[in-house]
Every structure is written in structure tokens, then in C-alpha cells.
Amino acid sequence: MTAIITASELAHELTAGDPPVLLDVRWQLSTAKAGAPPFDGRAEYAAGHLPGAVFVDLDRELAAAPGAHGRHPLPDLAEFGAAMRRAGVSARRPVVVYDGGQGWAAARAWWLLRWTGHPDVRVLDGGLPSWEGELSTAVPAPAEGDFEPVPGAPGLLEADGAAALARTGVLLDARAGERYRGEVEPIDRVGGHIPGAVSAPTAENVGPDGRFLPAAELRDRFKALGVSEDTEVGVYCGSGVSAAHEVLALAVAGIPAALYVGSWSEWSADPSRPVAVGADPQ
């Protein structure tokens, strides 16, 4: 099963007898200048969304409150399941997730649903900008779904596991290169990276249109970063959002990978954990 769907494929499926549930997860890292309002995904949704799509709030429904485990720790699974059921998500009905085009937030929802056992979740490749059909301002009231999250699928890393994987496999750092090298750090306590992690900015997984590169090109990219067929792979970023997008890119390439949800926001908050700086992984 593919992890992504094109806009034309989605348009066709929406006219079929059993259309997928649509989740709108518009979100972006808020780096607004002083005095400017922060990004408001719900307002963007209200201004126009795919017909039938239900808004999902990443900060409140796809993550717990910031704390010792990072800025976007795993959500309470009972609350996550309730949010998904309110959105109409059921175990036997496909789900398609999209965001404003960056792909990070949609990938976070994709990863969470897959990790908690949903068998059929895809991300709209290119997000809302790829959609050529009409938009709607109507807020749907879907029938309650029956999805019950059951974690247990492989693919979750904690801090110690990420540190170990950096030594025994390949741990990819999905942040921008300057944050990996420790040249800048606009959010967290200290800059740099987990010792042994390899710089792999998630922005390099997509083309100028925001769509994923072809699977073969992605495989070549990850091969150049040290990933082979028998490599165990993990990914982290600042808070487990853009890294989910890299896990999705790896899935497009046919490569399973684990996500360190706490990511740098958790790792760097503990002064006892080692920090590497510069272009060298070590």
C-alpha cells in the first residue's frame, strides 16, 4: 500500500462508492515576527478546505502539552482516539490527510494513525496547493467513527534508543543543516545534534512544488546517507513533526524507519545528554 496519494487520484476516490475520510491538519511552526499573529490553522480551514474534510488540531489532538518529553510529545491515546472518532475515522475506512503544502503536519497524523494500528492512511502529495477542485467553507458533521488506537506497531524511538541507533544503524536528523551543525538554534536550549546522527534535511525530500521526489531518487538519496537494505533507520527533528515527514519519505522509498518523537526538544533539554556540533556526525 502506498503512503501518498495524488490530487487526481483523490478526486477520483471521492466520487467512488466508499470515499476516504478527509483530515485537514493545517499547521506550521510559528516563528512570527513580534507583533504578528501566529499561524491559525483553524482559521485557514474555515476560509476553505476540501469538501467533507474535518479539521484536526496538531497541537491539541496529535500531541500532548509541551514538557519534559519535548514540544510535541505523544498525545494521550484515549484523547487521540476520541478526536479521531469525532472526525469520523473508522478502522475499515481509508483515511487521507493533508495540510497547507509543507507536508509535516499531515505526516505527523499519518504516522500516529499508522503507529496506533490504522491499516489504510495516505497523505495528499503536495497538500492543499495540489488540489485543483473546489473548496468548501461548510463544516461537516461526520458520523462517529469506531477507530480504537492500539500502539504496538514498530517505529517508535525514545532517547536512549535513538542514541543507540546512532551507533548501530543510521539516525537521520531532519532539521535544517545549520541547526544540525549548531550554527543557529532559534527554539531549543542548545544547538547541535545527537552524536552519531547524520544530517538529512527533510526539505530535500521534495521538489519545488512540494511533492515528494520519485521513489528511486529518494532511495538514492538515503543510500548516499548510509542507508542500505539491512540498515536499521531512525529519524528525529526538533519536536517529532518534520521527522514524521522524513519517515514518510522513507516509506515512499520502501524503507521502514522509526521516529524519535521527543526529538531535539527533549534531548537538548537534559544537560546530561551529549551534544555534537559541526558537520561531523560525531
Side-chain angles (χ1 to χ4, degrees):
M1 184 189 70
T2 182
I4 58 176
I5 184 172
T6 66
S8 59
E9 291 169 339
L10 178 58
H12 174 74
E13 290 194 12
L14 290 174
T15 62
D18 187 21
V21 172
L22 293 178
L23 303 181
D24 182 312
V25 197
R26 269 179 276 183
W27 171 93
Q28 66 185 41
L29 185 65
S30 181
T31 55
K33 295 180 180 179
F39 179 83
D40 187 339
R42 192 176 293 276
E44 294 288 323
Y45 167 84
H49 50 265
L50 268 63
V54 176
F55 180 73
V56 174
D57 189 318
L58 185 148
D59 289 320
R60 294 175 175 82
E61 296 173 322
L62 304 182
H69 293 295
R71 286 192 304 280
H72 291 104
L74 286 174
D76 176 89
L77 291 184
E79 295 179 7
F80 170 66
M84 293 299 97
R85 291 189 294 275
R86 286 195 302 271
V89 175
S90 292
R92 290 175 296 279
R93 187 176 174 191
V95 176
V96 172
V97 190
Y98 72 91
D99 58 24
Q102 190 177 43
W104 297 5
R108 171 74 176 221
W110 166 85
W111 181 86
L112 267 172
L113 282 164
R114 293 291 292 152
W115 179 66
T116 54
H118 198 289
D120 191 349
V121 189
R122 290 163 292 170
V123 170
L124 176 59
D125 195 17
L128 188 64
S130 71
W131 181 254
E132 296 181 353
E134 294 184 357
L135 299 180
S136 172
T137 57
V139 178
E144 183 89 358
D146 63 14
F147 178 66
E148 293 286 348
V150 180
L156 176 65
L157 286 173
E158 296 183 349
D160 290 344
L165 186 57
R167 298 188 299 269
T168 63
V170 175
L171 181 65
L172 301 175
D173 184 317
R175 298 172 301 159
E178 58 268 25
R179 291 185 69 190
Y180 169 88
R181 295 187 296 271
E183 296 166 359
V184 299
E185 182 44 64
I187 305 172
D188 293 312
R189 184 185 67 84
V190 64
H193 58 269
I194 297 173
V198 177
S199 180
T202 198
E204 296 178 16
N205 295 320
V206 299
D209 59 0
R211 294 181 174 90
F212 282 106
L213 301 175
E217 291 184 29
L218 288 171
R219 283 192 291 272
D220 287 344
R221 182 191 185 217
F222 293 122
K223 182 179 180 180
L225 293 170
V227 177
S228 62
E229 291 184 2
D230 57 353
T231 306
E232 188 177 359
V233 183
V235 189
Y236 76 96
C237 58
S239 65
V241 179
S242 67
H245 189 266
E246 186 129 296
V247 172
L248 177 58
L250 285 152
V252 171
I255 302 166
L259 175 65
Y260 173 25
V261 175
S263 285
W264 190 248
S265 59
E266 177 186 44
W267 182 275
S268 64
D270 184 345
S272 71
R273 293 194 180 109
V275 171
V277 296
D280 189 331
Q282 302 302 330

